[in-house]
Amino acid sequence: MSTPLEHYALLSDLRTGPLVSRDGSIDWLCLPRFDSPAVFSAILGDAEDGRWKLSVPDGQVVERRYLPQTFVLETVWRSRTGRVRVTDFLPPSTSQGDLVRRVECLEGQVRVEHDLRLRFDYARATPWTREIERDGQERCLLALAGPDAILITGPMLHWPGNGDGGGEDDDGSAASVAEHPGTTPAEGRRAPRLVGSFNLDAGDVLDWDLTWFRSYQDVPEPPDADRALASTVRFWTDWASHLRVDTDHQDLVLRSLLVLRALTHLDTGGIVAAPTASLPEYFGGGRNWDYRYTWLRDAALTIEVAIAHGLTRGATLWRDWLLRAVAGDADEVKIMYGLGGERELTETELEHLAGYENSRPVRVGNGAADQYQADVVGEVMIALHELREAGVAENEYTWGLQKSLLAYCEANFDRQDHGIWEMRGDTHYFTHGRAMMWAAFDRGVRAVEEHGYDGPAARWRELRDRLADEIEEHGFNAELNCYTQTYDNTEVDASLLQMPHTGYIAYDDPRMLGTVERIEQDLVTSEGLVHRYRTEAGMDGLEGEEYPFVMCTFWLVEQYAHAGRLDRAREVMDHMVAQASDLGLLAEQYDPETGRQAGNFPQAFSHMGLIRAADAIHAAAEDR
């Protein structure tokens, strides 16, 4: 069985996001960016596809936590002879990519072992590795493959075998690296594996650093571990000090806000949907997608939760990314972009990787980038409206681009789309998408009428009203007493739970309550978890199934809270947050039968949903 996703911890330097398993194996790491080719891909295959395992071979993990309000991970191991603490972190302040692993012996004597397997380009390139000296004295390892280079500093690791200190000696006894110095030839070799075994006594501290840089650049200076740790803690705690959190599940809401920050690129402001690619929506299935890109929808929803929790400045940075991404492209808006606003996200399959839980194909890139989805501009306009309401003024540039987005909506007014879930079947008029288009024109009208900006408000009002009439005529089924997934079917879809959020309809409107009842019948499990839609209806053009969707379950909680069903909201909320990992992380989906998280991890959507659900419960309780 693949390592359960809930056993992984996320690290972040706001450029990339490696995953560290509970047993000390870094099984996923992309450098230098979230969307770069992976250096460690074991999560999508096995150890031979790249990992860095640091563990106590005869011990077990007795404690694991983030330092409060940070992404500095502490893991405490106990063996028969003592205890050690492993601290893993990425310093956000460096220009190169640095991954620091510190081991401290807390009591007794403990042996730790390394198993490092560098595999560039999703395990398609094994680097040439050689020993070098820095400053004429420090020995370290340099690994090169094409444009990428890795510098490994700290107590030396070695190739296994030949009595070089790699794990066990010929007689089976544990070897300290100090017993076999200098056994890595300076001329180098292709190194499928680097190992090391180190004995620590109480009070001993050993540090290792993995530094990525361009192979044609000078070897960089690795960070001082003490200073890097202090600056990393200070970075995260300073950011968290600006948050306002006053809800139930306060710790999980705070962690969720930190996750959204951790998934945001420091330089560009783009937020990835998840730091991973191709983790399956159903174990053994083919619904495996690359989420390391920035969806306009995700950026918009992040702006909303940021504003609600005192991060107006952060929301402005996300807005600026969003507007840069569509600049020069407003007549052909994409639903997602690369972290820097890149438009080419070609989808390919990596046939050499076995896939998480043998779920294939393994995909990188995302072909859905070329889809038309009618809801996207509405979500953007709602978020930017909230930013205006929070007191952030527009300028000619930001408002001008929003007018261009509304012109794009008008140009595509009669166009069918693929829906919010990126279905790969035929296009339709999705009711949720049409309601979001209604919201886009509504926020344009309000910007003119309530904030004094220029624009054809009368024309936008006409289009908004036409959409309302159309939705009621074609999107609401009076016989079933519910809104339907599309104008031409009788299915329901969890995206319909977002219609009140647009302002189109009240949460307690009888039409909305009828829709919720139908969703409960068709999409909700006995545990209260919500599927996005019925895959067996064949709408999405894909084979196989998927598990309940975490964010949609939080949407239902939000609906319950706003519609006066507070007790039910709390019941489902408590059940859902109990599925978060011990570190407060949530994947895209959850399998109630096995109790395992599924899909890309951690998922920004899931954490946004948790925040909004907690806020809705708090607001409803205050109104009682």
Side-chain angles (χ1 to χ4, degrees):
M1 185 179 76
S2 299
T3 299
L5 296 180
E6 54 271 21
H7 289 189
Y8 283 105
L10 171 71
L11 305 180
S12 175
D13 61 356
L14 279 74
R15 289 186 175 88
T16 190
L19 296 185
V20 189
S21 71
R22 188 176 178 85
D23 65 356
S25 183
I26 301 176
D27 290 342
W28 180 251
L29 173 61
C30 302
L31 289 168
R33 296 197 328 185
F34 293 101
D35 54 354
S36 298
V39 173
F40 301 139
S41 302
I43 197 171
L44 296 177
D46 59 29
E48 287 302 311
D49 297 311
R51 72 169 188 190
W52 183 3
K53 186 173 184 179
L54 196 170
S55 60
V56 177
D58 61 344
Q60 61 181 350
V61 173
V62 294
E63 181 185 354
R64 184 176 71 150
R65 67 163 189 154
Y66 288 124
L67 291 183
Q69 301 181 7
T70 76
F71 279 92
V72 175
L73 178 70
E74 287 189 346
T75 306
V76 177
W77 293 76
R78 180 184 293 279
S79 72
R80 289 177 286 103
T81 57
R83 285 190 309 129
V84 295
R85 177 170 57 221
V86 178
T87 303
D88 294 316
F89 64 97
L90 278 70
S93 59
T94 58
S95 57
Q96 68 252 10
D98 283 300
L99 169 59
V100 180
R101 311 199 77 175
R102 163 169 284 190
V103 182
E104 304 170 78
C105 188
L106 304 177
E107 63 180 64
Q109 184 182 67
V110 179
R111 178 166 60 95
V112 298
E113 290 188 351
H114 290 259
D115 181 351
L116 173 60
R117 309 181 192 204
L118 291 168
R119 304 287 188 272
F120 294 170
D121 194 21
Y122 305 110
R124 290 181 290 195
T126 300
W128 187 265
T129 304
R130 63 188 175 94
E131 178 186 320
I132 64 171
E133 286 189 355
R134 294 184 60 258
D135 302 325
Q137 53 184 2
E138 182 185 7
R139 297 163 52 236
C140 51
L141 294 171
L142 177 64
L144 303 170
D148 299 299
I150 294 286
L151 182 72
I152 306 292
T153 57
M156 284 292 286
L157 305 181
H158 301 270
W159 301 320
N162 302 319
D164 65 357
E168 303 290 328
D169 275 341
D170 293 341
D171 62 0
S173 62
S176 167
V177 68
E179 298 169 13
H180 300 290
T183 56
T184 304
E187 64 269 18
R189 58 176 282 188
R190 290 181 74 245
R193 186 174 173 223
L194 294 165
V195 297
S197 180
F198 305 88
N199 294 319
L200 291 86
D201 294 316
D204 287 347
V205 179
L206 295 178
D207 296 315
W208 287 267
D209 177 75
L210 182 155
T211 301
W212 174 92
F213 61 104
R214 294 294 183 191
S215 60
Y216 44 81
Q217 296 175 335
D218 292 337
V219 175
E221 183 74 20
D224 174 83
D226 288 324
R227 288 196 296 268
L229 178 58
S231 66
T232 302
V233 170
R234 185 167 56 251
F235 172 87
W236 287 110
T237 54
D238 285 352
W239 185 83
S241 68
H242 298 287
L243 296 171
R244 295 197 312 261
V245 179
D246 184 19
T247 66
D248 295 340
H249 307 291
Q250 193 164 7
D251 290 344
L252 279 173
V253 171
L254 177 58
R255 177 53 57 187
S256 293
L257 288 162
L258 283 160
V259 168
L260 296 184
R261 178 58 172 161
L263 299 182
T264 302
H265 195 269
L266 183 65
D267 298 326
T268 71
I271 179 170
V272 293
T276 55
S278 219
L279 294 180
E281 297 175 357
Y282 193 89
F283 299 141
R287 297 168 181 255
N288 317 313
W289 316 109
D290 190 345
Y291 278 12
R292 298 171 300 154
Y293 305 113
T294 300
W295 274 250
L296 295 188
R297 184 184 300 112
D298 294 52
L301 294 174
T302 303
I303 288 171
E304 291 187 60
V305 298
I307 294 167
H309 291 274
L311 293 175
T312 304
R313 181 177 177 275
T316 304
L317 294 174
W318 279 309
R319 177 200 67 177
D320 292 345
W321 174 90
L322 188 154
L323 294 175
R324 285 198 311 272
V326 302
D329 195 25
D331 58 345
E332 196 57 49
V333 176
K334 288 185 174 291
I335 64 166
M336 73 179 88
Y337 297 84
L339 281 165
E342 296 88 352
R343 293 164 169 80
E344 184 60 47
L345 308 178
T346 304
E347 182 174 301
T348 58
E349 297 181 2
L350 302 179
E351 297 181 359
H352 64 287
L353 293 175
Y356 184 90
E357 291 288 3
N358 296 311
S359 305
R360 303 186 70 185
V362 172
R363 296 183 179 93
V364 294
N366 200 311
D370 296 323
Q371 288 187 356
Y372 169 65
Q373 296 178 12
D375 67 294
V376 168
V377 173
E379 274 134 355
V380 169
M381 294 298 293
I382 290 172
L384 299 184
H385 170 82
E386 294 300 320
L387 203 53
R388 283 193 296 271
E389 293 287 291
V392 177
E394 304 282 4
N395 56 42
E396 184 177 343
Y397 167 65
T398 61
W399 175 240
L401 276 174
Q402 289 172 66
K403 289 192 292 183
S404 295
L405 289 174
L406 292 176
Y408 169 79
C409 273
E410 183 171 359
N412 290 277
F413 192 87
D414 296 317
R415 185 178 176 185
Q416 296 182 343
D417 75 306
H418 288 93
I420 184 176
W421 308 125
E422 295 162 16
M423 296 181 178
R424 301 204 172 188
D426 296 333
T427 57
H428 299 267
Y429 289 119
F430 284 86
T431 303
H432 165 265
R434 305 302 279 177
M436 279 295 177
M437 189 178 283
W438 174 96
F441 291 117
D442 178 73
R443 297 322 188 265
V445 171
R446 293 176 64 179
V448 173
E449 296 181 347
E450 298 172 11
H451 294 273
Y453 293 105
D454 68 295
R459 176 60 176 164
W460 292 340
R461 189 183 302 108
E462 176 191 350
L463 294 170
R464 180 192 66 184
D465 294 346
R466 279 173 54 187
L467 280 163
D469 292 341
E470 174 197 297
I471 290 167
E472 293 309 309
E473 181 178 356
H474 301 290
F476 184 77
N477 187 308
E479 183 178 343
L480 298 174
N481 190 34
C482 70
Y483 290 101
T484 54
Q485 181 183 46
T486 70
Y487 286 178
D488 57 357
N489 74 9
T490 57
E491 296 287 321
V492 283
D493 189 301
S495 64
L496 298 169
L497 293 168
Q498 286 297 280
M499 289 179 68
H501 184 71
T502 69
Y504 176 80
I505 190 171
Y507 287 94
D508 59 356
D509 186 288
R511 293 167 296 171
M512 195 64 216
L513 297 180
T515 304
V516 171
E517 183 178 356
R518 180 75 186 284
I519 287 173
E520 290 173 325
Q521 292 171 3
D522 288 5
L523 303 181
V524 179
T525 71
S526 59
E527 300 89 357
L529 308 179
V530 183
H531 288 276
R532 294 189 290 185
Y533 52 88
R534 291 193 323 117
T535 55
E536 56 267 37
M539 280 282 294
D540 60 15
L542 298 166
E543 295 182 357
E545 306 174 57
E546 64 178 38
Y547 299 118
F549 205 77
V550 172
M551 180 178 64
C552 294
T553 303
F554 286 129
W555 282 353
L556 184 60
V557 170
E558 189 177 356
Q559 165 66 34
Y560 285 151
H562 286 307
R565 299 174 64 182
L566 185 56
D567 291 343
R568 180 57 175 161
R570 284 175 167 156
E571 181 183 356
V572 178
M573 182 73 171
D574 289 344
H575 179 76
M576 192 65 253
V577 298
Q579 315 315 322
S581 75
D582 59 321
L583 297 174
L585 303 180
L586 288 162
E588 182 182 20
Q589 276 111 354
Y590 179 75
D591 176 13
E593 291 189 10
T594 63
R596 290 179 60 183
Q597 297 194 36
N600 283 299
F601 174 89
Q603 177 81 349
F605 254 3
S606 298
H607 287 279
M608 291 175 203
L610 185 152
I611 296 165
R612 279 179 39 180
D615 289 347
I617 288 173
H618 180 73
E622 291 281 292
D623 290 341
R624 271 194 169 183

